[in-house]
Structures are given as structure tokens and as C-alpha cells.
Amino acid sequence: MAKKTIDHAFTAPSLTSAASDPTHAGVLSFMRRRYSKNLEGASTVVWGIPFDAATSNRPGARFGPQAIRRASAIFDNDPQYPFARDLFESMPTIDYGDCLLDYGNHWQTPETIEQEARNIIADSDYLLTLGGDHFITWPLLKAHVAKHGPLALVQFDAHQDTWFDDGKRIDHGSFVVRAVRDGLIDPDRSIQIGIRTRAPEDCGIKILYGYELEDMRAADIASLIVRHTGGLPTYLTFDIDCLDPAFAPGTGTPVAGGPSSAKILSVLRGLGQLDIRGSDVVEVAPAYDHADITAIAGATVAMYMLGLRAERLARST
């Protein structure tokens, strides 16, 4: 026990140190990373946005960041599958905690998210955000584009999120149409994967429908995504309802007919060539979950996002 620690989120000796907390105990930061509002020395930041006032169906995604952090305790800092490495050995990472929002004034929410995201991005290289409903991706894109310029959007989702928006709505179903309208993303290089609904507008974005995924190998889906983005700097957003409700029941607007978690994780594993500048996992609503199925899926997707970044950093050294 001499080398064991607990509450690694507070006791970590460095931003790259491995944790040894028992899976069932200890402070639940994301993957036991140090909780800190100090960005000094951190190249990668995990941040939560507990917001769900934009939902059109079942609320509850405000509890998503907590649920994802809790589920991430299963990643016990052994070399992470399938990356076969300690993700943080050469990638100093902190958990920045959550965004403070005024629950009684939702009109301030976009500006609050954008400004804090800008502050984080200014002093770090990569921001992974845990939602929250999909509205949060709108201000996150604004913050990322301010640093990186227009981006390709790779969106895993059951919904296109291109519904009518007058620029004033607080709506999780219209962030994409806003992003295209304001030039934040390049629609010709953007792609949506897993779509199982129809919106009046596609904004010129390539769509891979749920039924198409059924007839494709994961490697072919990943290759198509990489080719379509054409090397453009990319923002990766993952709505957990991309997965079939059998694998992600804990979400606000579940849609039957989606892919399995195994298949989509295999797709993510094949995206190592993407130049991903930021990412998020959204719409985990644990009140509708069973045995943490959805939270575990969300935490695993988030871990894969960090794994892709860790590999990219390793290749660049």
C-alpha cells in the first residue's frame, strides 16, 4: 500500500501522474485527473457544462458531467484499451470542473460558455467538454474558431440539428444551422454520422444515415470521414443518442435503429489522422439510464477522444 494514493484528483503529484484510487472510492474527477482552475502546465483540459434548458424532449443532461466523471472511474490508469498507453504520461491534463451558469437567466448562457471556453483555450492546447445538451456546442464552436479559424465538423448524432433558428433561440436542435450561417464550419468538409431523423435543411453537409452504417464496416466509415474532412482542422462532437437506445437509453431524445457502441468506438479508433482541435460529449441524461450504460458509453467516447490526442502527440515527437 505504500505506493497507493487516494483522492488523486487532489493529491496528484503532477499533471501526468497515474492514479491508483480504488474504482469504488475517491474523488470523481474525469479519469482521476487533478481538479484545478490553474491552467499552468496543462496541455489538455476536461470541462463540464451542466446545462439542459435547451432540450426539446426529456431534460436531465445537466447531470451528464457528473455521470460521465463517475463512470470514468473504471479507467484505472492501466494502459488504456485500445491505445495501449498511459494517456497522460506525455499529455498533462486537468479536470477544470464545471461552468458556473445562472439557472434563472438562460440568455446569458451562450456568452458565459463562450467566454470561459476562450479563456481555457487561450492557455491550453485542447479542450474536451462534457455536456449538457447539444446547444452548448454552439458557443464552444465560436470559442474554438476564434483561435483556430473555420473548422470541419464531425458530428455523431441521431439528429441533424439544422432546424429553424432566428439567432435568439436557446435550442439544442439548431446549433449546426447557426454554425453554417455564421461561417464557423465548412459545410463541404463537414459530416454527420448516424442520422435517423429528417430536418427540412441539410446545409450542404454530408450525411451518413443510420441504415447506411449497418451496411458499412467501421474501418470504411472512419476512412470516409477522414477523406471527407480533407485534412481541415476539425471539431468532433458526439451526441450520445447517435447510439441505439439499447446502448444509450439515458438520453433526452432516443431514436431506435442506431449503431452499437462497439461499432462506433471502432469508428472513433480509426480517426487518428484527423486534426482534431476540440471535442465534446453531450446529451447524457442519467435519470433515464440503467446500470450506468449510457454514462459508461459517454465516458468511453471521451476517453477515446483523449486517446486519439495522446497518439497524435506521440507521433509528433
Side-chain angles (χ1 to χ4, degrees), residues 130-302:
L130 311 177
D133 68 44
H134 221 159
F135 175 77
I136 70 168
T137 302
W138 158 246
L140 288 171
L141 278 171
K142 293 177 71 177
H144 282 81
V145 168
K147 180 173 182 176
H148 301 296
L151 300 165
L153 180 70
V154 174
Q155 176 186 354
F156 289 83
D157 208 322
H159 309 88
Q160 294 171 249
D161 295 337
T162 55
W163 288 89
F164 167 77
D165 190 283
D166 60 4
K168 300 177 183 178
R169 294 174 58 79
I170 305 294
D171 186 344
H172 71 160
S174 59
F175 84 91
V176 174
V177 75
R178 280 195 185 190
V180 172
R181 183 179 61 208
D182 291 350
L184 300 178
I185 63 173
D186 182 346
D188 293 332
R189 292 296 183 185
S190 297
I191 185 169
Q192 299 174 323
I193 302 100
I195 302 301
R196 303 188 296 286
T197 53
R198 293 276 186 175
E201 176 62 65
D202 63 18
C203 296
I205 295 172
K206 183 173 180 59
I207 296 173
L208 277 180
Y209 290 101
Y211 68 86
E212 294 178 291
L213 300 185
E214 287 300 300
D215 297 326
M216 298 177 67
R217 298 187 309 132
D220 294 333
I221 298 168
S223 179
L224 188 156
I225 294 168
V226 171
R227 290 197 312 272
H228 189 75
T229 55
L232 200 68
T234 297
Y235 188 88
L236 176 59
T237 182
F238 197 104
D239 187 323
I240 205 67
D241 70 26
C242 174
L243 304 178
D244 189 88
F247 305 95
T251 191
T253 312
V255 182
S260 70
S261 53
K263 185 163 190 174
I264 290 300
L265 289 172
S266 293
V267 174
L268 288 173
R269 184 68 185 93
L271 300 183
Q273 296 179 54
L274 287 185
D275 181 10
I276 303 172
R277 300 298 178 91
S279 58
D280 63 53
V281 181
V282 298
E283 299 284 358
V284 173
Y288 315 107
D289 210 354
H290 171 71
D292 287 340
I293 293 171
T294 312
I296 290 168
T300 306
V301 167

Side-chain angles (χ1 to χ4, degrees), residues 3-26:
K3 295 183 179 180
K4 293 282 187 177
T5 63
I6 198 164
D7 297 325
H8 188 266
F10 296 122
T11 63
S14 76
L15 302 188
T16 59
S17 61
S20 57
D21 297 59
T23 302
H24 58 275

Side-chain angles (χ1 to χ4, degrees), residues 104-126:
N105 192 340
H106 298 310
W107 308 113
Q108 291 181 350
T109 294
E111 182 179 353
T112 300
I113 294 172
E114 180 186 352
Q115 188 55 58
E116 190 162 359
R118 281 179 181 248
N119 294 341
I120 295 170
I121 295 167
D123 292 323
S124 62
D125 299 321
Y126 190 93

